[in-house]
Amino acid sequence: VAEKMGVSRLSKDQVSAIASSLDADIEDLCARPLGGSPVPYVWLDATYVKCRRGGRVASTAVVTAIGCDAGGWRRVLGVDVVDTESYDSWLAFLRAIRSRGAAGVRLVVSDAHPGLVRALGEVFQGAAWQRCAVHLMRDCMREAGSWQLRRRVGRIVSSVFRAGDAATAVAMYHAACEMLEGCCPRAARVLEEAEPDALAYLDFPPSHWKRLRTNNVQERANREIKRRSRVVQVFPSESSLLRLVGAVMCDQAETWSGSRYFSERKMAEMHDAAFRMGAAGEHNWAELEKAARKMIESSLELADSVEAA
């Protein structure tokens, strides 16, 4: 890139100056005070990159936190490089975010890493935890033996999260557990145990569900980190890794500044109690679950027909 700009070589001092300028931008993004403004939604995840530490190459965890503020804008809340994705690492990371003023967190979306879930309960007390539906589906599929059974398990679980209202989603979840019990009992147990956390998104406005039930916003950021880090292969130090990841997240923050993740109208729905009546109230659960089972079976038949065609 430098050669195309007419620069034949860079001195050590010039490289240091460029790195210092970049470090200042990353510091401004990742260490700035958050001002105590409400951040109702937070997505957390980690991805692993090869880095040289202590004279050896090791897989190093890059942890990131992305939030959505009350205005519907996505914000980078934090980026860090840690030795391992453990309870202690997550606890320190989340405490740093809270100390900078992250407040009003109502829902945190992540995978089911035990250390992360435990740290969340201590740092953001009172916030609900949404277990990523995609990760849950993969966990259920992992319990199946053959690839045909894995595919069937995945189709059964994925159909649950396409329900249009809260009561139907609960009924389909229970129907899916019963269907899995007949073909893959271990997957059924995983799904049953995850119910409260897998359906946490139902306590929020329906217009938010699609973006709350998965960790897709983090997955896209991780793919961009992997795309950039793949060129380097092995980073010479943790500071160089943090510099590149921070630069990627600076780019993401600039991109996100051009459009809201949720419109102002949708964010205003959080203060409307009407959406909370979906799964509450009187329902004929026997009939709902019967209908839910038919919907899942129809979905499976359609998938089989498409595959056969």
Side-chain angles (χ1 to χ4, degrees):
V1 173
E3 287 176 357
K4 289 180 180 179
M5 295 173 64
V7 180
S8 58
R9 64 182 297 275
L10 290 172
S11 69
K12 182 174 65 176
D13 292 339
Q14 288 174 313
V15 172
S16 297
I18 293 172
S20 298
S21 175
L22 183 57
D23 288 342
D25 292 339
I26 297 169
E27 180 75 13
D28 181 61
L29 176 73
C30 301
R32 70 192 186 285
L34 299 174
S37 58
V39 187
Y41 300 140
V42 175
W43 293 265
L44 297 170
D45 202 9
T47 189
Y48 285 83
V49 178
K50 294 290 185 181
C51 180
R52 188 172 295 278
R53 299 200 323 265
R56 59 186 178 85
V57 175
S59 184
T60 304
V62 177
V63 293
T64 52
I66 298 170
C68 178
D69 63 21
W73 299 95
R74 279 173 290 182
R75 305 170 65 183
V76 178
L77 301 181
V79 179
D80 201 1
V81 174
V82 298
D83 291 338
T84 183
E85 191 184 1
S86 64
Y87 160 74
D88 292 330
S89 298
W90 278 116
L91 185 64
F93 180 64
L94 295 176
R95 281 178 172 171
I97 293 174
R98 188 184 62 182
S99 67
R100 287 168 41 224
V105 178
R106 300 180 60 179
L107 181 72
V108 180
V109 185
S110 73
D111 62 10
H113 188 281
L116 170 55
V117 176
R118 180 183 167 193
L120 279 173
E122 295 185 22
V123 177
F124 295 119
Q125 295 181 2
W129 171 57
Q130 169 64 41
R131 181 171 178 174
C132 175
V134 175
H135 284 87
L136 174 60
M137 182 178 68
R138 292 172 184 166
D139 291 341
C140 291
M141 292 172 66
R142 201 172 291 118
E143 299 297 330
S146 63
W147 69 268
Q148 294 96 335
L149 184 55
R150 284 197 296 271
R151 183 175 58 183
R152 181 173 180 82
V153 168
R155 287 173 176 173
I156 290 173
V157 177
S158 64
S159 63
V160 171
F161 299 101
R162 292 195 291 268
D165 62 86
T168 302
V170 174
M172 290 185 73
Y173 199 98
H174 294 168
C177 289
E178 292 180 4
M179 294 177 71
L180 289 179
E181 189 65 41
C183 64
C184 186
R186 291 191 299 179
R189 285 194 291 273
V190 171
L191 195 63
E192 287 173 0
E193 293 172 0
E195 180 178 353
D197 305 314
L199 299 181
Y201 70 94
L202 298 178
D203 291 331
F204 296 86
S207 61
H208 298 196
W209 289 356
K210 185 176 181 180
R211 288 177 170 173
L212 295 184
R213 62 191 175 214
T214 68
N215 214 10
N216 285 348
V217 64
Q218 277 282 7
E219 293 290 338
R220 286 191 288 269
N222 285 344
R223 281 198 297 270
E224 191 64 19
I225 291 172
K226 287 289 191 182
R227 185 177 73 84
R228 305 287 186 88
S229 63
R230 195 177 296 119
V231 179
V232 181
Q233 294 186 350
V234 178
F235 285 82
S237 65
E238 292 183 32
S239 60
S240 63
L241 173 56
L242 182 59
R243 183 176 294 123
L244 182 136
V245 174
V248 170
M249 297 310 290
C250 283
D251 287 344
Q252 288 291 306
E254 185 176 351
T255 301
W256 293 338
S257 67
S259 62
R260 297 176 190 268
Y261 202 48
F262 295 106
S263 67
E264 289 182 283
R265 178 183 58 80
K266 288 184 177 180
M267 291 305 294
E269 293 175 4
M270 294 187 67
H271 307 292
D272 184 1
F275 71 85
R276 301 181 186 277
M277 300 302 293
E282 296 295 328
H283 296 288
N284 187 333
W285 289 106
E287 289 298 323
L288 269 177
E289 290 185 17
K290 184 178 179 181
R293 187 181 182 92
K294 288 183 178 180
M295 284 189 279
I296 297 175
E297 289 173 347
S298 298
S299 177
L300 293 176
E301 290 175 4
L302 178 60
D304 291 340
S305 300
V306 170
E307 186 175 332

